[in-house]
Amino acid sequence: MKDTDLDRDIALALRLADAAGAAIRPFFRSGLSADRKADASPVTLADRAAEEAMRAILAAEVPEDTVIGEEMGSTPGTSGRSWVLDPIDGTTGFLAGRPLFGTLIALVVEGFPVIGVIDQPISGERWVGAIGRPTTLNGHAVRTRACALLSDAALATTGPHYFDDHDGAHFMGLAARTDHKRMVMGGDCYNYAMLASGFLDIVCEAGLKLHDWAALVPVVEGAGGHMADWNGEPLHAGSDGHVIAVGDAARLEDVVEALACHH
């Protein structure tokens, strides 16, 4: 991808984040109620308004691109490019008045993310990652931190109840090998932003969909980290939703081994 094309697409992603944030902020801590989707997860007017705002911009500016959104499904395009949107990643936290959710925006080309944005519209924090470029937080480069030993690693996950019994046992096998007294629960996409900024070492989750993780990959990897599935393989549009992020890429093999060994 040419630098000029990448610059244009990043600028578009930032406009999407601006529009989503403007739609979300009036609803935060407003006593907003939620509906339940088919999988029993909550969805609010804020989720829908933010996705509608982003889709309107994409329809006007890049109608040839596919759009895949958490709330409104897929609108097919002809370009081979896909914009993947999660208007509020962490709706449960949003409903609880916790500013740890985020808007996720990714550009996926040939199945792999090339641009990712994690936008926290309440705190005003915005992480931007793009292939071949350093990740930035509000325009300033961020880096993951070194972690020499798995036993020193701070591990995060959204919550144990998101794992089934089988995956949960493997996750706890990993947790037992980390500095588990520093383990963080909750946070959704914000955990990956904190890993990219050097405050966490590992994030491990299962059951994620493309809109949950696509934006995270350029952010984490542009900051020096690495993302993979639980077998250590690169994430792509066909991945099964088992996701690992490591701040120090040298720990990936240790994490994969720890996940695999617990039976």
Side-chain angles (χ1 to χ4, degrees):
M1 181 178 283
K2 296 178 182 178
D3 280 350
T4 53
D5 294 337
L6 194 60
D7 288 338
R8 178 201 64 205
D9 289 327
I10 291 170
L12 176 54
L14 298 183
R15 291 199 300 278
L16 298 179
D18 288 342
I24 290 166
R25 281 188 290 272
F27 291 106
F28 185 62
R29 296 181 181 168
S30 68
L32 184 66
S33 61
D35 297 325
R36 293 283 178 173
K37 294 188 283 190
D39 65 358
S41 61
V43 59
T44 70
L45 289 173
D47 296 82
R48 296 184 178 115
E51 186 166 324
E52 286 171 356
M54 291 189 285
R55 283 178 175 272
I57 293 171
L58 292 170
E61 298 198 22
V62 284
E64 70 280 4
D65 290 354
T66 295
V67 180
I68 301 169
E70 180 182 15
E71 308 307 340
M72 300 171 192
S74 180
T75 301
T78 58
S79 67
R81 295 156 35 105
S82 299
W83 292 91
V84 182
L85 312 174
D86 190 344
I88 299 180
D89 182 75
T91 300
T92 297
F94 172 82
L95 287 166
R98 300 176 64 188
L100 301 179
F101 62 91
T103 297
L104 300 181
I105 300 161
L107 175 61
V108 176
V109 179
E110 296 180 355
F112 292 91
V114 298
I115 293 172
V117 175
I118 305 172
D119 187 70
Q120 211 309 307
I122 307 305
S123 65
E125 297 169 301
R126 180 177 293 175
W127 289 262
V128 179
I131 189 167
R133 299 190 183 188
T135 293
T136 60
L137 165 58
N138 295 350
H140 301 284
V142 293
R143 294 290 296 177
T144 59
R145 67 186 181 190
C147 181
L149 298 170
L150 186 61
S151 58
D152 292 334
L155 170 67
T157 192
T158 298
H161 52 293
Y162 291 102
F163 296 107
D164 61 24
D165 290 345
H166 177 266
D167 288 342
H170 285 271
F171 172 80
M172 291 310 295
L174 168 63
R177 297 194 185 188
T178 67
D179 187 355
H180 56 273
K181 291 191 176 180
R182 294 168 62 209
M183 187 165 61
V184 174
M185 295 287 182
D188 298 276
C189 65
Y190 203 77
N191 289 332
Y192 299 84
M194 291 298 97
L195 182 143
S197 290
F199 296 103
L200 289 169
D201 301 301
I202 305 167
V203 186
C204 180
E205 301 193 89
L208 300 191
K209 298 180 174 62
L210 181 64
H211 59 255
D212 293 312
W213 62 259
L216 309 176
V217 175
V219 171
V220 168
E221 298 196 341
H226 189 70
M227 288 188 66
D229 66 17
W230 283 20
N231 295 314
E233 297 299 321
L235 297 171
H236 54 83
S239 294
D240 68 0
H242 290 75
V243 170
I244 304 163
V246 291
D248 188 331
R251 299 283 71 75
L252 178 63
E253 186 176 341
D254 298 337
V255 171
V256 171
E257 179 185 4
L259 283 167
C261 284
H262 189 81
H263 291 282

